[in-house]
Amino acid sequence: AAVAYTAAITLDSTTAVATSSFAANIDELVADSDNFVRLPQATGIAALVADTDTSDSSKQRQLISALVAPKDLISLIPTLRALGRQQRPSLVIHVPVSSAADVSDVLAVRDSGSAILRSMSQQDAVDYAVAASIAAQRLGTPIVHCFPAESGDSAEFQGYAAPSTQEAIRAYLQAEKASDESAHDAVRQALAAVVGEEQELVSYFGAKDAQVVYVTFGNVVSQAAVSAVAGVGVVQISLARPLNPSALKQAVPASAKRVVALDQTRRAEAGWGPLFFDLALVAWEHRPILLNAVLPSSPAGLDTVTPEQLEAINAHALTLASPAHFNAAAVASIPEDASATPQPIDEGAVSEAATVGAYGQLLRDAFGLRLRVANASES
C-alpha cells in the first residue's frame, strides 16, 4: 500500500486506487488523503479511467496509480489496450508479488501494450513506483509495476520532497520528447531523476567468460549462488516489456555456449515460457543453444535459487545439446506449491456462466471441452 501511495502523493494530479484485497492495511495510511479512491473490484478502474477529465490539454496528464492483486490483472487487459491507444489518462498499476504464480499472472498481460517493470527490493519498489508514474505521464503508456510483497520498514517509504529531486522530476516531464523515445529510455531517465544516477534495466553479473548464462525477470538467482558455481552468469531484466533485445544481447558474454531462460510459472507443465520466446527473437551472432528452465511456485515463495540448487540446474543444462525445456524445480529438488496448480474443473461448474464469469463463459462457448483439456493438470 505504501508503494502505490508514495507514488501517488509525489506527483500532482494523481488518484491512488486499491481493490478490496488491500483494504485491511491501507486505511490508516491514506486517512489524510483527498485523492484516494477504493474500488470493490479491479474492473472498476475502467470506469474511473472513463470518468477522468482529460479535456484540458494544457494540464499535465491525469495520472491514476492503482494497487491491484496479481489475479485481477487479466480483467484489466481491455483497459490497458484502450489506454495504449488514447494515451490519456496515464495509468500505473502496482502489483505485489509473493510467488512464481504471481509473476506468471503479471506476465499474462505482456501483450496488452503496457510496459512491465519489476523492482527487486523494498527500497527499489518505492523508487520504481515513482519512476513508473513519471514515465507513464511522459509516454502516455500504461505501466505495470510489480514489487516484492513482503512488508518493510516504514522508514523506507518516504516521499521525494527534496528540492533537487522535485526539480529533476519537473525538468524531465517538461523536456521535449524525442520522436524515437522508447519506454525503455523513459523508465531509465525517470529512474535517474528519482535516485540521482543512471540505472540499468538489463544487468549482468557472474563470470566474464561464462559458458552458461541464465536470463531472469527480476531477482531469481542470487549473486552468492552465481559466485559459487564456476562458469555461470546471470542477465537480470527489470523491464520485461518492451524488451530491449540490443541490451540483452550485449549483456550476454560471447563465451556463452548455452543461454537459459529461467521462467517463473504457476506450474511446471506450463510449457515454454515468455522469456524463452524473447530469447528466440534475439539475433545472436554466436548462436548459443537456447534452453528453457521453468521454476513453478514453491512453498518458499520467491526465495532465490541457492548455490546447491543452481549447481544441479547447471549440471543438467550442460547435458542438453539442442533447444529443450525442463523443470528446474524437479532437477534441483525444489518443492512445488500444490496450491498454485489449478484443480480439475468440475463439469457442472463449467456450465454455470455465473460461476466462471463473462470471460470464462466466452472461452467455454468458443472452445468447449478443449478448454478443459488445455487446463487439466496432466496436460
Side-chain angles (χ1 to χ4, degrees):
V3 170
Y5 184 60
T6 300
I9 65 175
T10 300
L11 303 168
D12 295 330
S13 302
T14 302
T15 302
V17 184
T19 63
S20 58
S21 304
F22 308 99
N25 65 351
I26 204 170
D27 284 332
E28 182 178 350
L29 181 68
V30 300
D32 60 346
S33 175
D34 294 329
N35 65 347
F36 180 79
V37 178
R38 178 181 292 114
L39 300 175
Q41 294 181 338
T43 50
I45 294 174
L48 186 66
V49 167
D51 290 341
T52 302
D53 181 14
T54 58
S55 58
D56 189 349
S57 59
S58 65
K59 292 183 179 180
Q60 188 173 305
R61 280 194 183 94
Q62 176 71 31
L63 172 69
I64 297 175
S65 181
L67 184 63
V68 174
K71 62 182 178 62
D72 294 329
L73 270 180
I74 191 75
S75 65
L76 294 177
I77 288 179
T79 301
L80 292 171
R81 285 180 173 161
L83 284 177
R85 292 191 298 268
Q86 68 191 44
Q87 298 190 336
R88 292 173 68 95
S90 304
L91 173 65
V92 179
I93 298 177
H94 304 282
V95 186
V97 295
S98 59
S99 69
D102 290 344
V103 176
S104 182
D105 287 342
V106 170
L107 291 177
V109 302
R110 61 187 179 276
D111 295 326
S112 64
S114 57
I116 301 179
L117 180 68
R118 184 175 183 182
S119 49
M120 314 295 182
S121 67
Q122 289 159 5
Q123 186 56 59
D124 279 352
V126 183
D127 295 338
Y128 279 46
V130 177
S133 301
I134 298 169
Q137 291 189 85
R138 172 81 169 179
L139 293 172
T141 300
I143 296 181
V144 176
H145 164 230
C146 58
F147 62 94
E150 296 82 2
S151 59
D153 187 345
S154 61
E156 295 180 8
F157 300 111
Q158 301 297 323
Y160 294 80
S164 59
T165 302
Q166 290 292 324
E167 183 178 348
I169 292 174
R170 284 195 298 271
Y172 175 62
L173 285 172
Q174 294 169 5
E176 184 176 352
K177 179 182 173 183
S179 58
D180 59 346
E181 184 173 340
S182 65
H184 186 272
D185 296 331
V187 173
R188 280 194 64 191
Q189 293 171 29
L191 275 171
V194 171
V195 302
E197 60 183 13
E198 290 289 334
Q199 301 284 307
E200 293 297 331
L201 298 176
V202 178
S203 58
Y204 176 83
F205 58 88
K208 294 182 180 179
D209 57 350
Q211 298 293 302
V212 182
V213 173
Y214 294 86
V215 179
T216 68
F217 175 43
N219 187 22
V220 180
V221 182
S222 68
Q223 295 197 30
V226 173
S227 300
V229 182
V232 166
V234 169
V235 174
Q236 194 167 269
I237 298 173
S238 299
L239 187 67
R241 287 293 183 276
L243 184 69
N244 187 331
S246 176
L248 175 58
K249 183 168 62 174
Q250 291 176 10
V252 176
S255 59
K257 304 299 183 185
R258 291 168 175 79
V259 178
V260 185
L262 200 53
D263 273 295
Q264 292 177 298
T265 63
R266 179 172 294 277
R267 57 193 181 117
E269 299 85 358
W272 304 92
L275 272 180
F276 177 82
F277 290 111
D278 289 339
L279 293 182
L281 293 174
V282 174
W284 303 98
E285 277 84 6
H286 60 293
R287 300 183 68 83
I289 298 171
L290 302 182
L291 304 173
N292 192 193
V294 296
L295 274 175
S297 280
S298 164
L302 284 176
D303 286 352
T304 54
V305 174
T306 66
E308 295 77 15
Q309 292 166 347
L310 181 60
E311 182 75 56
I313 294 170
N314 197 59
H316 182 76
L318 287 171
T319 66
L320 303 174
S322 60
H325 166 280
F326 65 94
N327 181 352
V331 168
S333 300
I334 302 173
E336 295 184 34
D337 184 1
S339 65
T341 302
Q343 298 301 311
I345 301 173
D346 179 72
E347 182 74 32
V350 174
S351 64
E352 294 290 339
T355 302
V356 300
Y359 186 67
Q361 181 70 17
L362 177 90
L363 292 176
R364 185 185 72 82
D365 292 342
F367 298 104
L369 289 177
R370 283 178 293 173
L371 179 64
R372 296 184 62 232
V373 172
N375 285 282
S377 58
E378 65 273 9
S379 64

